[in-house]
Amino acid sequence: MTDFDTTIPPTASPEVEFVSQINWNTGREIDPVPQSGLQRSYVRDYARTLEDGGFDYTLVPYFSSSPESFVLAAAVGAVTERLKPVVALRPNHTHPLVAAQKLATLDQLTEGRAVVHLISGGNDAEQRKQGDYEPKDRRYARTSEYIDLLRRAWTEPAPFSHEGEFYKFDEFGPGFAPYDAPIPISIGGESDAAYQVGSSQADWFAYNSGASLEQTRKDFDRVAAIAAAAGRPTPRFWVTFRPVIAPTAEQAWEKAYDYAVRLKTGSVHLAKALGVDPASVRSEATGQRNARSYAEQERYDRALWFGFTRATGGRGAASAGLVGTPETVAAAILDYIDAGASVVSIKGYDTLADAQDHGRHLLPLVRQELAHRKATGQRGPLQAQHLGYADDRVAAAADRAAELAGAGL
C-alpha cells in the first residue's frame, strides 16, 4: 500500500453510470432451455430489481429471435421511474425516419430516458435472417448515414429531402421531437470501420468483448484521436464485463469455473436443440476474435478473466469476466474508470440473483470510492488493498479452482 499513488489519473472519469441487460424470461446461459416466450411479470420484477439496485440503464437487446426491442423498452419504461432503456437497433430492419419517430416517442413516454445502441452487425448469418446481405464495411457506411438522418429528424425545424447511398426521401418533417434533447447514440465494435464511424459520430463508444487495461487505454486513445480529427467531442467510453463475486476469493473462483463448465456444455446443447451447428454461430466480429485471442492466456491485470470466452469459443454475448470478492472486482472496475470509462455494463450469469448481488455489494463500493475522490481530490485505499492476481492467495485460489474444474473445461 505504501507504493500506491493516490493521485487521480488525468484520464479518470469523475463519474460512472451502470448498465445491465434486461432479461425477459427465467432462461439463463448456464442452464439453457430454449424459450421463446416473454414472461411479463419477470420483465417487471427484473427491471425493478435493476432500478432498486442502483443501475442507471438497462440494455434491451435485439436478435432475430428475440422480443422486439422498442416494445420491450417501452414496457421497461412503464414499470420504472428512473431506469433508462438502451434500445438495441439494427439499421437494416427499421428505416431511420421511422426509428427516429419510435425513439422520440419512447423518450417522451419515459420523460427523457431513451438511449439507442446501433448494431451494424457482427454475424453475417444472423444479418441474412432478416434480409441484410450487405458486407460489413457497407453496413457501417449505412450506419453512418443512419446517424445523420436520426439527428436531422429530431432537430430540423422545417421539412427536408435527402438522397444518399442508402436512403432517399422527399420533404420529411418536421419530425416528432424527443422529450427535451437529442437522444444519445451508442455504437460499438472493434473493426476499422466501427472505429471510424463510432468515434466520429457517436455519443458513446461501446466495447462489448473486454480487453486488458493496456489495450483498453490504446483503444480509448484511438477513439479520442479520430473524434478530434472529425471536430467532435470524445464519446463516452462504455465497457462490458461479466462479474463473478463471492465473500471470499476461493468461493468466487469456484463459482466462476462452475459457470464456465456449465457454459461450455450448455452452449453446445442449446445450439443443437435449436438445430444450429455450434461452430456456425461463432461471431465474425473483430471484438470477439480479439477476445478469443485473449483467452489463450486467460488472466490479466487485477481480476480480468477470459475463461468464459474459452468455454464458449467466443459464441454469444460478452464474456470477459471479473472474478473475486466484491472489493477486488470493484477495484478492477475502478481501474477501467481510471482509464476513462464512464459507462460500465455488468451482467451476471445467474441473471436475477446476480443483479441483486451486484446492486447490494458491488455498485456501492465503486460509488463510495468516486465520492471519496470528489471529496478529497485523491484516490482511496480500495485499489491498494485488493490486489487480485498480485496477491498470492488469490492466484492460488484461482489455480485450485482450475484444477478442480479439470477436464470439464
Side-chain angles (χ1 to χ4, degrees), residues 12-203:
S13 175
E15 297 180 352
V16 68
E17 292 184 297
F18 286 98
V19 184
S20 190
Q21 181 177 305
I22 193 70
N23 272 39
W24 53 85
N25 61 39
T26 55
R28 304 182 300 175
E29 293 165 80
I30 54 173
D31 296 309
V33 177
Q35 297 188 53
S36 59
L38 183 150
Q39 297 166 342
R40 180 176 176 273
S41 62
Y42 189 77
V43 171
R44 179 196 62 214
D45 293 346
Y46 204 99
R48 290 176 177 172
T49 294
L50 295 179
E51 183 163 76
D52 292 344
F55 286 91
D56 302 283
Y57 302 89
T58 183
L59 175 65
V60 185
Y62 186 89
F63 309 99
S64 61
S65 58
S66 71
E68 203 285 321
S69 56
F70 279 104
V71 178
L72 185 54
V76 168
V79 298
T80 58
E81 295 297 326
R82 183 186 57 80
L83 192 69
K84 302 171 186 177
V86 182
V87 181
L89 170 62
R90 291 181 183 170
N92 61 291
H93 65 63
T94 305
H95 190 280
L97 300 182
V98 178
Q101 184 180 32
K102 288 184 175 184
L103 287 163
T105 304
L106 176 65
D107 202 48
Q108 292 273 5
L109 286 171
T110 59
E111 298 183 321
R113 288 186 277 157
V115 179
V116 61
H117 178 63
L118 296 178
I119 304 172
S120 297
N123 184 289
D124 290 343
E126 171 68 8
Q127 292 298 119
R128 289 193 291 267
K129 287 180 180 180
Q130 294 188 313
D132 186 12
Y133 292 88
E134 295 285 4
K136 189 171 188 176
D137 284 352
R138 290 265 298 168
R139 294 199 294 262
Y140 274 102
R142 178 177 60 198
T143 297
S144 176
E145 188 175 339
Y146 202 93
I147 293 171
D148 289 339
L149 292 174
L150 285 178
R151 290 191 173 125
R152 291 192 70 186
W154 292 328
T155 59
E156 287 281 358
F160 69 97
S161 300
H162 173 81
E163 183 172 353
E165 184 178 1
F166 298 93
Y167 303 105
K168 178 181 178 180
F169 54 85
D170 296 320
E171 295 298 305
F172 171 82
F176 190 68
Y179 182 68
D180 60 4
I183 294 164
I185 297 172
S186 167
I187 292 180
E190 296 179 43
S191 66
D192 290 342
Y195 270 102
Q196 188 60 44
V197 175
S199 304
S200 62
Q201 294 180 262
D203 301 300

Side-chain angles (χ1 to χ4, degrees), residues 351-373:
T351 54
L352 185 59
D354 280 345
Q356 292 167 339
D357 280 349
H358 296 158
R360 290 171 184 156
H361 305 300
L362 188 55
L363 272 60
L365 291 172
V366 176
R367 290 195 166 117
Q368 286 167 18
E369 165 62 16
L370 294 180
H372 171 86
R373 295 179 180 191

